[in-house]
Amino acid sequence: MNDTELMNDSEPMNDSERDWLAWAITRVEADANRSADTHLHRFDLPDQWGVDLYLKDESVHPTGSLKHRLARSLVLYGLCNGWITSTTPLVEASSGSTAVSEAYFAQLLGLPFIAVMPRSTVQEKIDLIEFAGGQCHLVDDPAMINSEAVRIASEQGGHFLDQFTHAERATDWRGNNNIAQSMFGQLTLERFPVPEWIVVGVGTGGTSATLGRYLRLQKHRTRLCVVDPEGSAYHRAWTSGDREVRTRGSRIEGIGRPRVEPSFVSAVVDRMELVPDAASVAAMRWTTERMGRSVGGSTGTNMWVAAQLVAQLRAEGRTGSVATLICDDGRRYARTYYSDEWVRTQGWDLAPYTEVLEAFAATGEWHGDAL
């Protein structure tokens, strides 16, 4: 049974539920209201290059990642559509940061939360979800987590939050302090307040949809570059025009998918770049060392291409700025991306990519195409 059927079969809201709904929405909005907006950091590049690079730090949200915004939007969307009531269990198919953030909001509202996850999910993520009061339902076949989440939600009278379908529609892309409006507000006093490029990865597609739509609404000439890790379907689908592409999936947590999800709005994307996994991890470590701030693998994916765009602007004799995101806290990956032993087991050689980044930092030139 889908959400529309559940909504059509429901009884009109009584006064008790109406009061609870008002309380719940206030609780969710208060979480946003008491949190300062995320910082926009200027990456250290020589002023004489004439190109500035910024990173919006989404790791400082209460649940430590960009997905805090998405979880808040998904819960508000469910509340305002009448899909979430005072007794509704919340269910998600996710092994990553989205489930951590959704568990937080479920706990905020006193609702049960169940994350359907592959059995291979790292213990750190399971611990974070359980710390926030959620339950983890583990399945052997990762391809089955979506259908299993639908089954559990149906059997328990719950609401399947379904991030990959609802992400692009749950967020108010016109403004209302979304990530795009926030970023442009913070850039107002910079020497190049309207970036030449914004670089983001794609997981659900919600962030790229929000940014791309906002850029068009505000009539900015900023172009949107979406980065995709190897093994993901998005880049291949965007370049071929075939949304039915199927791939093995991504090894960079938080971005990339084995199929194109409904929330990916390809028409708002100006450019897509495919990034090798070793480049993502090398750029992650390089960024952490340069900024003194631990970042995750998807931030490395962003930075590999953001540096390339900075070098491209310089090579073309142009000035301007490039903006991207710190997606989550790198401390979550101490046993994986930051572990040399673990990286070796993946067959990744980071050295050639680190050399490209060091040469970029020294000269402003990009030689990554030779790899």
Side-chain angles (χ1 to χ4, degrees), residues 45 48-54 192 194-199 221-223 271 305-323 360 364-366:
L45 297 175
Q48 61 267 28
W49 284 12
V51 183
D52 297 332
L53 175 58
Y54 298 93
F192 305 114
V194 177
E196 293 294 315
W197 288 98
I198 292 177
V199 180
R221 296 184 65 83
T222 305
R223 289 164 291 176
R271 173 172 171 175
V305 175
Q308 181 179 339
L309 292 172
V310 169
Q312 179 181 311
L313 289 172
R314 292 197 69 240
E316 294 170 353
R318 299 168 59 196
T319 58
S321 61
V322 176
F360 161 76
E365 298 175 359
W366 188 256

Side-chain angles (χ1 to χ4, degrees), residues 196-248:
E196 293 294 315
W197 288 98
I198 292 177
V199 180
V200 294
V202 58
T204 63
T207 300
S208 59
T210 297
L211 285 161
R213 289 164 168 166
Y214 185 84
L215 292 174
R216 284 155 177 73
L217 180 67
Q218 297 300 320
K219 301 177 285 293
H220 291 311
R221 296 184 65 83
T222 305
R223 289 164 291 176
L224 179 65
C225 179
V226 171
V227 294
D228 204 30
E230 65 177 86
S232 174
Y234 289 115
H235 181 267
R236 189 183 301 178
W238 190 80
T239 54
S240 68
D242 179 11
R243 288 185 71 99
E244 300 305 312
V245 165
R246 296 292 185 271
T247 63
R248 65 166 169 80

Side-chain angles (χ1 to χ4, degrees), residues 14 73-74 89 111-112 118 130 141 147 158 196 242 253 264 284 348:
N14 59 39
S73 295
L74 289 170
L111 299 175
E130 292 179 344
D141 183 358
S147 59
E196 293 294 315
D242 179 11
E253 288 197 33
F264 179 58
M284 172 200 76
W348 295 337

Side-chain angles (χ1 to χ4, degrees), residues 107-129:
Q107 186 179 57
L108 195 69
L109 301 183
L111 299 175
F113 176 75
I114 303 167
V116 182
M117 313 163 74
R119 198 169 298 279
S120 59
T121 300
V122 297
Q123 189 62 43
E124 287 88 345
K125 291 288 178 68
I126 294 173
D127 291 344
L128 286 169
I129 292 167

Side-chain angles (χ1 to χ4, degrees), residues 32 36-38 40 56 58 61 66 68-70 72-73 76 167-187 198 206-218 220 325:
D37 197 6
T38 61
L40 186 71
K56 188 162 177 57
E58 295 293 287
H61 283 295
L66 169 66
H68 193 84
R69 292 182 189 268
L70 173 59
R72 181 192 295 134
S73 295
L76 283 172
E168 59 88 10
R169 65 197 71 169
T171 301
D172 185 359
W173 53 269
R174 297 167 186 83
N176 192 24
N177 196 33
N178 66 30
I179 193 168
Q181 185 182 56
S182 173
M183 178 184 290
F184 275 88
Q186 291 170 317
L187 285 166
I198 292 177
T207 300
S208 59
T210 297
L211 285 161
R213 289 164 168 166
Y214 185 84
L215 292 174
R216 284 155 177 73
L217 180 67
Q218 297 300 320
H220 291 311
L325 307 177

